Amino acid sequence: IAELQQAVPGLQFTDLAGYNLIYIRGIGTDAFIPSADPSVATYLDGIYFPSGHSAAQAFGALERIEVLKGPQGTLFGRNSTGGAISVVTRAPDQDAHTEVQLGYARFDDVEARVHSNVPVTEAFAFSVSGFYDRADNYYRLDNPAGDRLEPEVSQGARVKLGYTPHEDVDVVVTAIRLRRTGTSTTTSANTDPSLILGGAIPAETRDYVATANKPPSLSTDSRALYGELRWRLPRFDAKLLASRYEIEAYDYVYDFDGSALPIATYAADSEFQDIRTAELQLSSNATSWASGWLQWV
């Protein structure tokens, strides 16, 4: 999702403490605390992910990505005043294949992706995906203790199960587990101290150097389990969606004053979200009444 802004006009993406901050046509919010909902809704396989952690979309094996501009409340409900981003991943199918992606870049940036689809029977198939990203921090930490900044490491696994018990019924269940460690945006340089602190804290003028009396850090664990049941009926289609999404942020240290002095430091042992959703959709199909000129959800 972070790279969509290179291809989609009017889309801006930033990351703060592991949370996605997305603006479409200037509409968005910079509130990133666990209890805040974004103004641009993020959906993964039809499931609403309010916190939108960027790692949740890092597996690849995509079918398509939709960027919908403007209010989307009619089809996507609340929290879509600026728009919606819908990521649709590939469902398990009868085509056996394995894909591997490897990359290396500056700052010892290593990226690895693997996706494998395995058909078991004509009615059942599953896919397994995994990724591992590691990169050194491009900031250098200057503090009295001589601490070093930890590398940014993200890793995760995803399993999708697909079952078609009848030609008109499809069931897909997905489980995701993610872990992210490093500093994220807790590493920052104080280049413009406030007037209150200006006498005690000099502005940082060195490039890519951050000062902190405690080394910044942030670790997050994410777990998601969601499923979709599609039933094609003679007069309409029915779709049932259900999910549970858990996020825990821990080892969270942020030196607000950006100096070697112990003035303002935020630290949290645990911040968590537990999100559960359920949704029933009924929609028209080719055999619905007036399907030639009317479509409804």
Side-chain angles (χ1 to χ4, degrees):
I1 286 184
E3 297 175 359
L4 282 178
Q5 61 185 345
Q6 301 176 21
V8 179
L11 174 67
Q12 180 184 10
F13 175 97
T14 57
D15 181 278
L16 184 59
Y19 293 87
N20 294 350
L21 301 180
I22 304 173
Y23 289 76
I24 294 181
R25 293 174 173 170
I27 305 298
T29 177
D30 59 1
F32 69 95
I33 59 176
S35 59
D37 285 316
S39 300
V40 176
T42 301
Y43 286 81
L44 182 60
D45 294 326
I47 302 296
Y48 175 51
F49 279 71
S51 63
H53 270 60
S54 55
Q57 299 93 30
F59 291 101
L62 298 178
E63 180 180 312
R64 68 183 185 276
I65 299 178
E66 303 171 355
V67 178
L68 310 174
K69 299 180 179 180
Q72 302 294 323
T74 301
L75 296 180
F76 288 90
R78 66 172 193 170
N79 306 325
S80 57
T81 54
I85 295 179
S86 178
V87 180
V88 181
T89 63
R90 279 188 242 158
D93 54 33
Q94 296 300 308
D95 178 22
H97 61 272
T98 298
E99 302 172 6
V100 178
Q101 301 176 20
L102 299 173
Y104 180 80
R106 193 179 176 190
F107 301 110
D108 284 336
D109 189 346
V110 178
E111 296 183 356
R113 305 277 189 282
V114 62
H115 170 75
S116 185
N117 184 82
V118 181
V120 180
T121 67
E122 291 186 356
F124 177 71
F126 71 91
S127 65
V128 179
S129 305
F131 78 95
Y132 176 84
D133 293 345
R134 183 209 176 277
D136 288 336
N137 203 306
Y138 53 83
Y139 271 94
R140 178 174 64 85
L141 183 63
D142 182 9
N143 75 345
D147 297 310
R148 297 175 61 88
L149 292 173
E150 296 294 326
E152 302 291 337
V153 178
S154 299
Q155 53 191 322
R158 180 183 68 198
V159 177
K160 296 183 68 115
L161 308 177
Y163 180 50
T164 307
H166 185 272
E167 62 179 3
D168 293 326
V169 178
D170 296 319
V171 180
V172 179
V173 178
T174 305
I176 297 176
R177 181 66 187 269
L178 305 163
R179 187 175 187 189
R180 186 174 179 177
T181 60
T183 67
S184 185
T185 54
T186 59
T187 301
S188 59
N190 190 349
T191 59
D192 187 15
S194 66
L195 293 177
I196 298 175
L197 301 177
I201 301 176
E204 180 61 70
T205 59
R206 297 170 293 179
D207 292 334
Y208 304 109
V209 175
T211 306
N213 61 294
K214 288 187 176 181
S217 63
L218 174 64
S219 299
T220 57
D221 279 341
S222 304
R223 297 174 295 275
L225 178 65
Y226 60 89
E228 175 185 312
L229 169 64
R230 289 178 178 265
W231 189 5
R232 291 172 287 276
L233 296 166
R235 296 301 178 187
F236 60 87
D237 290 345
K239 180 166 66 173
L240 178 64
L241 299 165
S243 72
R244 182 172 184 179
Y245 183 34
E246 298 174 289
I247 308 167
E248 182 182 10
Y250 56 95
D251 188 24
Y252 191 178
V253 179
Y254 186 13
D255 190 330
F256 275 108
D257 56 89
S259 75
L261 302 175
I263 297 176
T265 301
Y266 174 79
D269 293 331
S270 176
E271 291 183 353
F272 68 91
Q273 292 176 282
D274 187 350
I275 303 143
R276 309 181 193 199
T277 69
E279 182 176 353
L280 175 64
Q281 296 181 6
L282 305 178
S283 59
S284 59
N285 58 26
T287 60
S288 299
W289 176 81
S291 61
W293 57 273
L294 177 64
Q295 292 181 319
W296 53 265
V297 176

